Structures are given as C-alpha cells and as structure tokens.
Amino acid sequence: MFPTVKDHNLMITNDGNEISGEIYFVLSGPTEWESQWHKSLKPGKSFITVPAAVSVVNEGFEKAVVEMTKYRRKIRRPNKDNEKLAVIFNDYMNCLFGDSTTEKLLPLIDAAADAGCEYFCIDCGWYTDTNWWAGVGEWKPSAQRYPGGIEKPIKYIREKGIIPGLWLEIETVGFDCPNIDKIPKSWFFRRHGKIVSDQCRYQLDFRNPEVQDYATSVIDRMVNEYGVGYIKMDYNINSGIGTEVDSDSLGDGLLEHNRAYLAWLDSIFVKYPDLIIENCGSGGMRMDYAMLSRHSIQSSSDQTDYIKNAAIAASCATALTPEQCAIWSYPLSGADPEETIMNMVNAMMLRIHQSGHLATLPANQFNLVKNGIEVYKMIRNDIKEGLPFWLTGIPKFEDPWFTFGLECDNCAYIAVWRISGEKILNVPLKEELQKYQHVEPVYPQNTLDCAYINENHTISFLLEEAKTARIFKLY
C-alpha cells in the first residue's frame, strides 16, 4: 500500500498519460512498444517481470536516497569487499591507457605498493599485440608485451603484498580475435538471420550452455593459472534490441540472455566467493541492482576531467551505495598539488580507483596520494555504514560549490569542493547533524583552509583558492 504524499493523491497507472495535478508512478517491465518485447504463454505457464523498488518518504529526495541506500545494502550479496573497501590501483586512466608491458608495469607496481594500494588491476590490451579493441575473445596474454609470460608481472604484484587483477569483456568477441573462425555461429545474437555486431565486436548469447562453459573456463584460467583475485568486467558495445534465436520476440531473447548472464555470474561467485568482479560497462553503464546485487564494486565514470569527475563523485550515492562506487583518482605528474588533492577527495568518500603515473609523480604529489590512502583506511570502516546527505543539494556541473556527506554512527564526514565563487560558504546544518559541536580537517591534514560550526546551526567553510577540495569530520 502506497501512502498519500501531502495533499496529492498517489496513483498507480500502467500507461504513460500525464495526470494533471497528481503524483503517479509508472510501474512497468519490458513492453512491446518500448522494448520490442512480448512473450507468448502456454496454458499453465507464467512469467515474472523485472523487479523494481520504490522509496516513499515525506522529507524529500535526499531522504528517499537514504532509504534506498539501506535497501540496496539489504539486497546485496554478502561479500568481504564491501566490508573491507579495498584500495584498487588500475593502470588505465591518465596512465597506460591499454598499453601495458612488463617494463611499464614494474615501476607502477612498486609505486602502487608504496602508496598503500591493496589490489593492482592490469587493464585492457594485455591479450593482444595490436588493436586491443577488436582483439577481445581468446583471453590469452600477449607474449610480445610480457616476455616470459604475464605471470611475471602478476608474480611481482603478489611479491609486493598486493592482489593482482585483469580486465575482461566476457560477453563480446572481437573481429580480430585469434580463434574467431573456430567459434560456432550459434554462440552469438542474431537478427534478420545475421549475426549481431557493433564496433568490431559480436555479442555472445549466455542462454547457450556452451557460451557459459567457455566463460567459466576463462574465469578458471584467470584465477587458477594466472592467480588473479580481481577482475574488471567491462562491456563496451550496444547489442541493440535483442536476438531472434529461440525467442518469442527480440526483447524476449535479450531479457532471457540478461537473466542467463546473471545466473552465470551467481555461479562464479559461488565458485570463487572472495573474487572481486568490478562492474564497469563503458565507465559507468549498467549501474543497476540486477548487477549490483551481485557485484561489490561499480565503475562510476570514465570522465577524464577531474573537475567534472568531482560533481559526478559527489552525486553518485543517489544511484548506488558509497562502498560500491569506484571513483578514479588520476593525478598528472607535475600538476598543481591541488589537482592531486581534488582527485583524492573525489574518491575518498567512496571507493578509491587509483591511477595516474604514480611512479613519475614528484614527491610532494606522491605524498598527497599516499596520505589520502592512509586517511581512507582510517575512515573506510565508517563509509561502509554511512548514509548520504548533501548540504548544498545534489551537485550540478555549473555549481560554484558543492558538498557530499556521510552520516555515520558517532560522526559525519563532509567533502567540500570549491570550483569558483566566493571563498566562504555558509550553509545550514541539517537537523540530524546539529548534535555535532566540533569540526576538523581530515584531508589534507596540513591545511590552512578550515570549517567551523556557528551558534545558529550553520557551518562555514573557508577555502582560499578556487578548484580546491577538502574533507572535514563532524563529531
């Protein structure tokens, strides 16, 4: 039963017509008009549609996000990663960009270990000497990139006390895959009698048991032969509206493939319960709880502008729990130290996806990264239980200031970004935060910028320079 919201009637409707003066929800699963989906049921058969959750509150959007955060934590697969919040280094963003070699990796591994990273993921391109985009599918390491085998850098990662990881895109096979001619055509999506392709890749159909066996064999090799404990699972094509193979409609084939893929993923987590599989999806796609009820971590965005990435980071808790949200930190060597600080602040209230050429960072920048990771390890136990709030509302790219906070058991953390505008921000404290009497900087620890709580339950932030960011603790 849905409650009445203020003076408006709350209505449930199954059509898209506007109801003037009313608040209403359109609750719908796949449809023929929007999803090219229909399914013919024989007598005695049934169909269960896609599940959905709705949060209804009287206090506004942010409180609805709080309730959704609680719900998302309840429906999620129990896993160690969302308890520990491991720090991951990935060699892609503002770093190797898919061009790793043993020679390039070794100094990065040293730097990641020194910075305090706990996982090191070798990103795309490790499986081919040429075009990594079209070479996906066989998932065997390039001998040219890794003389002596990829086992050498992976072993070096282990020797540094870090858990190694590899990038995969298991649902696609590229035009230049070495064994493309050996793969049965029945493994792929088909429409109008032809195999579906997009951007030099074919879409595998996980309803096919042979496809699932192939995919499981790839994971087995990653874990048992290469010794990885982390997989970045990507998805970078658009396979379109579905497949006509063994389906009542194109959308029926797509939905059944989706469900078969989720069932396969469940089987992998049963087999390897401590394996971390990041849900990527072209940076931040597929950010839904069909996936995130399984995956412990989600790539939020491949935004390369760290200023824009700050607004994304400050908003992400509307879509997923903070402890599942991976944010890139990718400082550029020789840049203003404040850029390094903002990159760290972007990630430190969520999950750190560290990148950038750490091995070539000047000492002052590297120490800011290292200190950020040290601070993160001190507060991450609070993050996993924290409930989000925004003192300045949900951020927009054009905002001069924005904030993102987490209320925890006995304290609260607030990340503050000044992009432009005046150097002082005064904002009222929400009622549930007015119990806190003290505020102190958390990161960076040595800063002249400050915050203070006023007698009228407002908080003031002073950030001397534009394009700066800080984290404060209320207690």
Side-chain angles (χ1 to χ4, degrees), residues 59 126-127 138 167 183 201 204-205 221 273 278-279 285 296 318 347 360 443:
E59 296 91 343
W126 59 269
Y127 42 83
E138 188 180 34
W167 180 97
I183 299 176
R201 292 171 174 185
L204 289 169
D205 188 342
R221 179 155 38 89
E278 171 195 338
N279 187 38
M285 303 300 184
S296 64
T318 59
T360 61
Y443 178 81

Side-chain angles (χ1 to χ4, degrees), residues 85-96:
L85 281 62
V87 177
I88 298 110
F89 183 91
N90 181 293
D91 67 24
Y92 185 79
M93 185 63 70
N94 279 352
C95 194
L96 301 185

Side-chain angles (χ1 to χ4, degrees), residues 101-329:
T101 65
T102 298
E103 183 180 9
K104 293 177 181 178
L105 285 171
L106 296 184
L108 274 175
I109 295 166
D110 287 336
D114 191 14
C117 297
E118 295 158 308
Y119 285 77
F120 189 108
C121 183
I122 301 171
D123 209 279
C124 56
W126 59 269
Y127 42 83
T128 181
D129 300 334
T130 55
N131 179 8
W132 71 264
W133 181 269
V136 296
E138 188 180 34
W139 305 117
K140 292 183 179 179
S142 161
Q144 180 176 315
R145 291 182 179 277
Y146 314 104
I150 200 170
E151 292 85 354
K152 181 177 178 180
I154 287 177
K155 180 181 177 183
Y156 193 69
I157 293 169
R158 288 277 184 188
E159 289 172 350
K160 290 291 181 176
I162 308 175
I163 298 174
L166 287 173
W167 180 97
L168 285 178
E169 194 168 348
I170 200 69
E171 289 173 77
T172 61
V173 176
F175 289 5
D176 296 337
C177 175
N179 62 351
I180 185 64
D181 294 333
K182 300 177 182 178
I183 299 176
K185 300 298 185 288
S186 59
W187 283 24
F188 300 112
F189 273 28
R190 298 180 74 91
R191 287 197 295 272
H192 312 299
K194 296 182 178 181
I195 296 175
V196 173
S197 67
D198 181 56
Q199 301 184 74
C200 305
R201 292 171 174 185
Y202 302 111
Q203 169 71 52
L204 289 169
D205 188 342
F206 267 68
R207 297 175 303 164
N208 188 322
E210 293 179 355
V211 171
Q212 292 197 29
D213 290 343
Y214 144 81
T216 300
S217 71
V218 172
I219 302 297
D220 289 342
R221 179 155 38 89
M222 301 297 103
V223 175
N224 299 322
E225 292 186 31
Y226 303 155
V228 307
Y230 187 100
I231 290 172
K232 178 177 180 176
M233 192 69 82
D234 214 339
Y235 184 79
N236 288 300
I237 69 169
N238 184 346
S239 62
I241 55 179
T243 177
E244 65 193 15
V245 177
D246 297 328
S247 58
D248 291 342
S249 60
L250 297 177
D252 177 41
L254 178 61
L255 179 60
E256 293 308 312
H257 158 77
N258 293 345
R259 289 176 166 177
Y261 179 82
L262 292 172
W264 171 80
L265 189 60
D266 289 339
S267 73
I268 295 301
F269 281 125
V270 169
K271 193 172 188 178
Y272 302 110
D274 294 333
L275 177 66
I276 298 176
I277 304 180
E278 171 195 338
N279 187 38
C280 185
S282 200
M285 303 300 184
R286 289 180 156 186
M287 197 182 294
D288 68 86
Y289 271 78
M291 303 294 281
L292 290 176
S293 60
R294 278 100 172 163
H295 291 280
S296 64
I297 187 167
Q298 165 78 50
S299 175
S300 61
S301 175
D302 276 346
Q303 172 59 248
T304 58
D305 182 335
Y306 75 101
I307 300 292
K308 292 180 179 178
N309 204 39
I312 293 170
S315 306
C316 270
T318 59
L320 72 167
T321 67
E323 65 272 20
Q324 288 179 283
C325 182
I327 300 288
W328 287 113
S329 169

